[in-house]
């Protein structure tokens, strides 16, 4: 089965998927880390108040502490909404590009390959699904690459600590 023209046409969407994948990973990881930071601040407020609950109650500061806690939660909520928006936007764009790839492939296969006798319908379908599975497999590479980049970042920080001269112990 030869369908290099259809394969090339369908493969032209790979860079678009790559850009959308990078956008999705970057914006969601940033929004999620910001959201976690705000939740940590809200947790710190809650912990502080619970440790001094008698003092807070004695001075009637419950409403003020509730407002402090809710202010931190509000920021975390906004972070979650931003992360959800970016995830929905990138997933919608990916589905749109995928649909455009389907449309383009079937249009080209029907009007140019089958109509000219260059290929049969079965051959067009084989090429379509082969390239589709390949593109889908490439989409799955984002998570391992993200984990790998985080590991490299952590390793560089860890090696910097290992190579740092000890302030306590004199090596001589």
């Amino acid at each position: 089965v030869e369908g290099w023209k259809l394969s090339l046409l369908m493969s032209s969407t790979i860079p678009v998927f790559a850009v959308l994948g990078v956008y999705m990973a970057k914006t969601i990881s940033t929004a999620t880390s910001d959201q976690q930071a705000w939740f940590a601040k809200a947790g710190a407020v809650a912990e502080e108040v619970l440790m001094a609950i008698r003092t807070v109650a004695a001075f009637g500061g419950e409403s003020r502490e509730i407002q402090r806690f809710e202010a931190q939660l509000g920021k975390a909520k906004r972070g979650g909404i931003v992360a959800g928006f970016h995830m929905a936007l990138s997933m919608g764009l990916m589905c749109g590009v995928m649909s455009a790839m389907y449309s383009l492939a079937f249009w080209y296969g029907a009007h140019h390959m089958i109509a000219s006798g260059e290929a049969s319908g079965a051959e067009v379908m084989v090429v379509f699904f082969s390239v589709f599975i390949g593109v889908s497999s490439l989409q799955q590479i984002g998570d391992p690459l993200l984990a790998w980049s985080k590991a490299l970042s952590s390793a560089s920080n860890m090696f910097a600590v290992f190579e740092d001269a000890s302030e306590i112990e004199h090596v001589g």
Side-chain angles (χ1 to χ4, degrees):
V1 178
E2 292 184 15
W4 67 271
K5 293 177 187 175
L6 183 59
S7 298
L8 186 63
L9 182 71
M10 290 178 67
S11 297
S12 68
T13 60
I14 291 173
V16 178
F17 283 117
V19 168
L20 288 174
V22 167
Y23 168 77
M24 181 184 208
K26 194 169 198 157
T27 57
I28 290 173
S29 67
T30 302
T32 303
S33 65
D34 290 348
Q35 185 183 22
Q36 288 175 348
W38 288 115
F39 273 127
K41 290 178 183 179
V45 169
E47 182 181 354
E48 177 186 338
V49 170
L50 287 175
M51 294 303 252
I53 191 69
R54 289 184 179 167
T55 307
V56 171
F59 290 107
E62 294 94 341
S63 61
R64 187 176 69 81
E65 296 301 332
I66 289 171
Q67 288 174 351
R68 249 180 72 199
F69 181 71
E70 286 177 347
Q72 301 300 331
L73 283 183
K75 294 173 184 173
K77 178 182 176 183
R78 281 192 293 279
I81 291 170
V82 167
F85 170 77
H86 287 294
M87 183 179 292
L89 177 66
S90 54
M91 287 302 295
L93 288 172
M94 279 189 180
C95 288
V97 170
M98 186 71 76
S99 297
M101 182 182 75
Y102 290 172
S103 303
L104 188 60
F106 287 131
W107 173 80
Y108 186 82
H111 290 281
H112 292 282
M113 295 178 75
I114 295 172
S116 70
E118 192 177 331
S120 68
E123 290 172 338
V124 168
M125 292 304 289
V126 167
V127 171
F128 172 80
F129 281 111
S130 298
V131 175
F132 173 70
I133 290 170
V135 170
S136 297
S137 298
L138 287 176
Q139 285 178 330
Q140 302 299 321
I141 201 166
D143 290 335
L145 285 179
L146 185 62
W148 186 67
S149 66
K150 285 182 180 179
L152 283 177
S153 174
S154 298
S156 67
N157 293 338
M158 185 176 67
F159 288 134
V161 170
F162 288 159
E163 293 171 359
D164 220 9
S166 174
E167 296 177 13
I168 299 173
E169 186 178 309
H170 179 68
V171 180

